């Protein structure tokens, strides 16, 4: 993202990146505007609040609820007694502005190219305790009556057309406070058009969510009851916050309606722990708001400056936001498509039930039989969990074979059988938690645990009696233990894959334990990156073809792994297209077992929905060949077999294709209906060497249908060949076709649930 853009005359302009040396007293200055292209943001010079946000793409002001417009930032500080207090800005003490590229020209709308605010100090937020150790004036009996000497400068600068870059800088002039969190920019009161009910929000919860009418949904009981990522009612509003990089896989969101959208992102190349926040007033006050929480560590006398935050108005839907974010992050990630035999994998068979809290289902001597069952279905990837001492979700990180399941030699022989018969073995280990009941927690786990501002560690449980502590990946001893375990498994138990559970899924935490060696408190993400680098280097010295999988995803972590197991934990709003479109190179693994739903009338449609999504996204199938396919669900196994053969036939094409979602498919809704008996849906993939397209279609109607691919005017009249893939995995011979004068191709679908078409240009 450049700090500049194109002016109204189309010429490029740029800005200095520094802060002004001098500010002028705002005095009685009225509101001031920053203008970028046709988009205009207006601020109050008295307190810095957002006054207006307008763009001709939308009807009226996007700040439709100006009365609840928020202060531009909030700061969390710790005092000498380790108590938290919240600071809000005092009145603006100084402003400065830079002219816009078109300022003063005939017909131009007056406004700045950049606007700077200076707050000489902050005030204690209403309801927050006065920090211990502050010199409170004797005549002040209310926390809001005195100035806390934390100086804050922030700016908004025009970027490309419709784009604004925000920055903030803190100077801690206190002698006793430690600044640890900053929420900025804080925008509340937004609504896109005349009817909030057609607004849509995409949110980077794991591989993505898409919520129609987020005002209603985020204030509903179903989101208040969401595990880990719930909306929380605070006074007259609801707040939903997920931290990056874990619950939030990326640092951006997009809010759009039929007229256009808003892209809101943190373009922070430091990739530190960051909260991605959404606010709403609910249907009684139908507005949305957004903010980012940065975890900082500014000691008394210190200072900190942010990387840019971006607010951009765009035409279109969530795909515009995805393209913006990918263009920004590309220089910072080394992204390579999965290659070799892994690129051709279509499924894996996980086995979590060797030993669980319910008891023992399998022993190590059963591994050959279990593998042969998977191989009979065409699955060679064998994943084993619940193999460790105590079984699944017990005694972590004591990763030693459980004696009740068999000997170490029994485990080695079982895994040797898999590998010697053409399979590959992946072992489960948890990369995040330590069982507090372990004999080793006191001497090791307490040292490695992530600590909060009081020095306490975080406790978690997962439905059983065991209590776990969250470990800090910045602790070298914890990383060393995980790396050693992975090397040992590769060396002695034929492990080609290591599944690092929870690494991209569970909540990342700030850690205040300075003995771990991480800089500041926001190093959780950096610690996991170091773990992935260290475990990759160490295991591949033993086994060069080794690979890694993680639970869920994060843009920082995915470049290091073969695949990401994507799920959100609830049955609604999952929209994995968001992550796949932004990062088509990253492989997703999706569960396609029957869900554990007692009523088959409910469970069978969910199975077909999950299978449909996995197919359209080109995901690897996660198939538990167990009691999931018994009773009323037994007939689904044949449906799965046909679909898996279809997926296997697609694999050589998917290995060389780039997912572009519904691009070039004008009749397929961008927010496609994923219900199993819904209309025809499809995804488009760009093929290279030779060029072409791959279209994967799902037909839930049970009837013949058509599907149109619009290649554009540049392809009008061209000769192409179209090869069709039938359900069951049979490719037909290529057939010649002519692209219409409008640039279209029409595919005819039968009533079967899946079809695919490979389009190649004729020379």
């Amino acid at each position: 993202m450049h700090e500049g853009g194109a002016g109204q005359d189309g010429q490029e302009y740029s800005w200095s990146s520094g802060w002004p040396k001098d500010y002028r007293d705002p005095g009685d200055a009225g509101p001031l505007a920053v203008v970028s292209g046709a988009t205009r943001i207006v601020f109050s010079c008295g307190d810095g609040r957002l006054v207006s946000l307008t763009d001709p793409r939308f009807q009226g002001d996007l700040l439709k609820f100006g009365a609840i417009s928020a202060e531009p930032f909030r700061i969390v500080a710790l005092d000498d007694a380790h108590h938290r207090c919240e600071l809000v800005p005092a009145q603006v003490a100084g402003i400065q502005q830079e002219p816009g590229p078109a300022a003063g020209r005939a017909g131009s709308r007056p406004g700045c190219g950049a606007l700077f605010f200076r707050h000489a100090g902050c005030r204690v937020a209403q309801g927050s305790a006065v920090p211990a150790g502050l010199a409170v004036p004797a005549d002040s009996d209310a926390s809001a009556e005195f100035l806390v000497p934390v100086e804050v400068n922030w700016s908004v600068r025009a970027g490309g057309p419709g784009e604004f870059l925000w920055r903030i800088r803190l100077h801690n002039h206190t002698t006793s406070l430690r600044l640890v969190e900053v929420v900025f920019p804080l925008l509340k009161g937004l609504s896109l058009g005349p009817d909030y009910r057609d607004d849509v929000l995409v949110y980077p919860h794991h591989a993505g969510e898409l919520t129609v009418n987020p005002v209603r949904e985020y204030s509903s009981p179903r989101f208040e009851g969401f595990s880990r990522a719930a909306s929380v009612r605070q006074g007259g509003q609801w707040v939903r916050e997920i931290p990056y990089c874990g619950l939030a896989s990326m640092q951006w969101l997009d809010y759009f309606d039929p007229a256009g959208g808003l892209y809101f992102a943190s373009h922070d190349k430091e990739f530190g722990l960051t909260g991605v926040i959404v606010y709403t007033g609910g249907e009684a006050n139908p507005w949305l708001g957004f903010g980012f929480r940065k975890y900082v560590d500014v000691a008394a006398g210190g200072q900190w400056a942010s990387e840019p935050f971006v607010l951009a108005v765009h035409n279109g839907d969530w795909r515009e936001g995805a393209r913006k974010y990918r263009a920004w992050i590309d220089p910072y990630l080394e992204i390579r498509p999965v290659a070799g035999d892994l690129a051709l994998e279509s499924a894996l068979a996980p086995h979590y039930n060797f030993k669980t809290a319910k008891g023992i289902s399998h022993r190590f001597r059963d591994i050959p039989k279990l593998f042969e069952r998977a191989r009979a279905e065409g699955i060679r990837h064998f994943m084993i969990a619940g193999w460790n001492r105590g079984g699944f979700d017990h005694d972590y990180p004591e990763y030693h074979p459980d004696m009740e399941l068999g000997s170490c030699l029994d485990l080695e022989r079982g895994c040797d059988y898999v590998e010697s018969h053409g399979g590959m073995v992946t072992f489960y280990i948890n990369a995040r938690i330590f069982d507090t009941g372990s004999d080793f927690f006191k001497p090791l786990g307490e040292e490695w645990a992530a600590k909060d501002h009081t020095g306490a560690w975080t406790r978690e449980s997962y439905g059983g009696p065991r209590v776990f502590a969250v470990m800090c990946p910045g602790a070298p001893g914890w990383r060393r233990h995980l790396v050693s375990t992975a090397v040992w498994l590769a060396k002695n138990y034929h492990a080609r894959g290591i599944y690092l559970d929870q690494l991209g899924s569970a909540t990342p935490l700030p850690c205040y334990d300075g003995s771990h060696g991480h800089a500041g408190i926001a190093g959780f993400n950096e610690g996991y990156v170091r773990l992935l680098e260290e475990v990759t280097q160490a295991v591949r010295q033993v086994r060069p073809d080794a690979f890694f999988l993680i639970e869920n995803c994060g843009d920082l972590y995915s470049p290091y792994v073969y695949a990401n197991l994507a799920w959100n934990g609830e049955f609604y709003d999952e929209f994995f297209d968001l992550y796949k479109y932004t990062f088509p190179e990253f492989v997703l693994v999706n569960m396609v077992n029957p869900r554990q739903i007692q009523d088959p009338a409910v469970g069978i449609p969910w199975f077909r929905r999950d299978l449909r999504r996995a197919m359209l996204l080109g995901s690897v199938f996660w198939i538990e060949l167990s009691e999931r396919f018994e009773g009323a669900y037994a007939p689904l196994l044949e449906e799965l077999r046909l679909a898996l053969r279809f997926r296997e036939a697609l694999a050589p094409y998917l290995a060389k294709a780039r997912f572009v979602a519904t691009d070039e498919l004008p009749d397929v809704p961008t927010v496609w209906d994923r219900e199993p008996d819904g209309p025809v849906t499809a995804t488009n993939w760009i093929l290279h060497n030779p060029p072409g397209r791959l279209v994967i279609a799902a037909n839930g109607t049970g009837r013949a249908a058509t599907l149109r691919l619009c290649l554009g005017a540049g392809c009008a009249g061209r000769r192409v060949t179209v090869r069709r893939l039938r359900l069951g995995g049979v490719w037909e011979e290529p057939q010649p076709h002519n692209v219409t004068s409008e640039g279209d191709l029409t595919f005819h679908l039968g009533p079967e649930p899946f079809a695919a078409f490979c389009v190649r240009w004729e020379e």
Side-chain angles (χ1 to χ4, degrees):
M1 180 62 61
H2 57 81
E3 290 215 5
Q8 294 180 5
D9 56 2
Q11 297 297 310
E12 291 293 317
Y13 58 90
S14 61
W15 306 100
S16 65
S17 59
W19 297 85
K21 295 181 179 179
D22 299 309
Y23 289 85
R24 63 182 177 85
D25 189 327
D28 296 327
L32 287 176
V34 182
V35 176
S36 179
T39 312
R40 179 182 179 87
I41 303 184
V42 183
F43 299 91
S44 163
C45 289
D47 55 16
R49 289 175 184 262
L50 183 66
V51 173
S52 174
L53 172 55
T54 56
D55 185 278
R57 280 166 275 214
F58 302 95
Q59 296 183 33
D61 201 323
L62 275 67
L63 189 71
K64 294 181 173 59
F65 294 82
I68 60 90
S69 180
E71 61 278 344
F73 62 84
R74 294 179 82 92
I75 298 170
V76 175
L78 300 178
D79 64 17
D80 284 341
H82 304 291
H83 296 144
R84 288 169 61 92
C85 64
E86 198 163 17
L87 307 178
V88 295
Q91 288 293 102
V92 174
I95 58 172
Q96 189 55 271
Q97 54 189 312
E98 292 180 1
R105 294 179 187 164
S108 67
R109 303 180 69 190
C112 310
L115 190 57
F116 301 84
F117 294 86
R118 176 179 176 270
H119 301 262
C122 294
R123 300 193 183 279
V124 178
Q126 185 176 5
S128 182
V130 177
L134 277 185
V136 182
D139 59 351
S140 175
D141 58 2
S143 63
E145 293 299 322
F146 67 94
L147 212 60
V148 179
V150 173
E151 178 187 346
V152 181
N153 298 265
W154 60 277
S155 65
V156 180
R157 186 185 297 277
E163 179 183 82
F164 301 87
L165 288 78
W166 308 58
R167 276 194 171 90
I168 188 168
R169 183 175 66 172
L170 313 180
H171 292 261
N172 185 357
H173 297 303
T174 73
T175 58
S176 59
L177 294 186
R178 180 184 182 186
L179 312 181
V180 293
E181 298 173 21
V182 182
V183 178
F184 176 84
L186 192 47
L187 310 175
K188 292 183 180 180
L190 301 171
S191 184
L192 294 180
D195 188 352
Y196 68 89
R197 291 171 295 184
D198 65 356
D199 292 352
V200 181
L201 180 70
V202 291
Y203 195 48
H205 179 212
H206 293 328
E209 287 176 2
L210 183 147
T211 303
V212 179
N213 193 354
V215 164
R216 179 188 65 198
E217 299 303 328
Y218 276 32
S219 59
S220 69
R222 74 186 187 103
F223 267 96
E224 288 183 318
F226 210 120
S227 59
R228 282 185 176 153
S231 295
V232 178
R233 188 164 190 170
Q234 297 178 357
Q237 65 181 11
W238 285 261
V239 182
R240 190 171 185 222
E241 178 172 353
I242 52 175
Y244 167 89
C245 188
L247 285 184
S249 58
M250 301 175 283
Q251 300 183 82
W252 70 281
L253 55 80
D254 205 276
Y255 174 42
F256 62 95
D257 74 357
L262 289 177
Y263 167 79
F264 188 55
S266 170
H267 285 188
D268 183 357
K269 64 179 182 293
E270 300 300 320
F271 301 103
L273 184 61
T274 300
V276 185
I277 315 173
V278 178
Y279 307 87
T280 185
E283 289 195 284
N285 292 289
W287 55 267
L288 280 189
F290 310 112
F292 286 102
R293 184 185 308 274
K294 291 293 178 181
Y295 290 84
V296 300
D297 197 358
V298 187
Q303 59 180 291
W304 170 85
S306 75
E307 294 291 318
F309 304 89
V310 176
L311 179 70
V313 180
H314 61 74
N315 294 318
D317 56 30
W318 60 273
R319 292 174 294 180
E320 294 292 332
R323 289 191 283 265
K324 278 184 174 292
Y325 187 75
R326 179 60 189 265
W328 166 74
I329 204 172
D330 253 346
Y332 306 108
L333 299 182
E334 188 176 352
I335 299 175
R336 296 178 300 271
V338 173
D341 63 327
L342 293 177
L344 301 177
E345 287 297 307
S346 295
L348 65 86
H351 296 82
Y352 275 68
N353 57 350
F354 274 78
K355 186 175 185 179
T356 67
K358 296 178 181 178
I360 295 173
S361 297
H362 306 295
R363 288 181 164 82
F364 297 146
R365 65 173 178 264
D366 300 326
I367 290 176
K369 177 180 65 177
L370 294 171
F371 173 68
E372 288 301 337
R373 182 182 180 186
R375 189 163 70 151
E377 302 297 343
I379 306 170
R380 72 177 187 124
H381 189 170
F382 186 91
M383 178 179 160
I384 179 171
W387 61 273
N388 58 285
R389 183 179 185 271
F392 186 67
D393 276 355
H394 283 73
D395 295 305
Y396 299 156
E398 296 184 51
Y399 296 116
H400 299 283
D402 186 271
M403 291 178 63
E404 281 195 280
L405 302 180
S407 68
C408 296
L409 187 57
D410 291 334
L411 178 58
E412 188 278 330
R413 284 172 173 166
C415 295
D416 178 63
Y417 181 91
V418 173
E419 187 161 56
S420 63
H421 287 76
M424 54 185 182
V425 180
T426 288
F427 273 82
Y428 171 106
I429 61 175
N430 193 297
R432 184 170 184 269
I433 53 178
F434 203 123
D435 192 330
T436 59
S438 166
D439 292 339
F440 300 101
F441 179 67
K442 194 73 175 173
L444 297 175
E446 284 193 352
E447 176 189 343
W448 299 340
K451 313 295 194 309
D452 68 12
H453 63 284
T454 69
W457 39 270
T458 298
R459 294 166 170 81
E460 293 184 349
S461 60
Y462 300 92
R466 297 297 180 127
V467 176
F468 299 91
V470 178
M471 297 293 101
C472 174
W478 174 243
R479 294 200 310 274
R480 188 161 51 248
H481 178 75
L482 294 174
V483 171
S484 298
T485 299
V487 171
W488 171 71
L489 290 169
K491 224 174 188 181
N492 297 288
Y493 293 101
H494 305 274
R496 183 181 175 190
I498 301 293
Y499 176 72
L500 299 165
D501 196 33
Q502 293 195 300
L503 192 150
S505 191
T507 308
L509 302 170
C511 180
Y512 289 79
D513 190 337
S515 70
H516 293 167
H518 46 69
I521 64 173
F524 203 94
N525 304 344
E526 179 189 359
Y528 270 151
V529 169
R530 293 185 66 181
L531 169 63
L532 288 166
E533 291 172 341
E534 290 166 3
V535 75
T536 300
Q537 181 180 10
V539 174
R540 285 186 178 164
Q541 287 179 354
V542 174
R543 180 153 193 170
D545 65 347
F547 61 83
F548 303 90
L549 299 95
I550 61 173
E551 183 185 18
N552 266 305
C553 41
D555 54 24
L556 272 182
Y557 310 144
S558 294
Y560 296 92
V561 304
Y562 151 55
N564 307 261
L565 171 62
W567 67 288
N568 285 358
E570 300 293 343
F571 289 175
Y572 50 80
D573 289 7
E574 292 180 331
F575 190 66
F576 302 162
D577 310 51
L578 186 66
Y579 196 71
K580 184 66 176 177
Y581 188 85
T582 311
F583 298 103
E585 300 89 345
F586 297 156
V587 175
L588 297 183
V589 177
N590 292 157
M591 298 176 181
V592 293
N593 324 293
R595 297 184 184 228
Q596 293 176 325
I597 298 173
Q598 293 296 319
D599 184 358
V602 177
I604 290 174
W606 273 107
F607 165 79
R608 290 173 177 153
R609 170 194 181 276
D610 290 338
L611 184 60
R612 183 180 200 176
R613 173 177 61 189
M615 189 72 79
L616 290 171
L617 294 177
S619 299
V620 171
F621 293 179
W622 171 287
I623 303 173
E624 295 183 44
L625 296 168
S626 63
E627 66 279 358
R628 298 286 188 99
F629 289 96
E630 293 177 355
Y633 292 106
L636 299 182
L637 187 56
E638 184 57 31
E639 291 186 32
L640 180 62
R641 286 173 179 144
L642 290 172
L644 183 54
R645 301 291 86 75
F646 186 88
R647 172 63 176 80
E648 289 168 344
L650 283 175
Y653 294 85
L654 294 175
K656 300 177 181 179
R658 182 180 182 87
F659 177 79
V660 291
T662 56
D663 292 358
E664 301 181 336
L665 297 171
D667 302 325
V668 178
T670 301
V671 185
W672 42 273
D673 184 350
R674 288 153 287 170
E675 292 302 315
D677 56 352
V680 172
T681 60
T683 53
N684 189 21
W685 304 69
I686 296 176
L687 295 169
H688 301 283
N689 301 321
R693 298 291 186 272
L694 175 69
V695 176
I696 305 173
N699 182 3
T701 67
R703 303 182 302 274
T706 59
L707 177 67
R708 185 164 57 104
L709 175 68
C710 183
L711 297 169
C715 293
R718 289 195 64 174
R719 292 274 295 175
V720 298
T721 61
V722 178
R723 195 179 187 197
R724 180 188 182 119
L725 176 63
R726 295 279 187 178
L727 184 64
V730 178
W731 281 102
E732 297 179 346
E733 289 300 313
Q735 298 296 322
H737 287 264
N738 288 323
V739 178
T740 69
S741 57
E742 289 78 28
D744 294 349
L745 273 176
T746 298
F747 306 124
H748 295 278
L749 308 177
E752 59 269 16
F754 297 112
F757 303 88
C758 176
V759 179
R760 298 287 194 186
W761 317 133
E762 286 190 356
E763 295 296 333

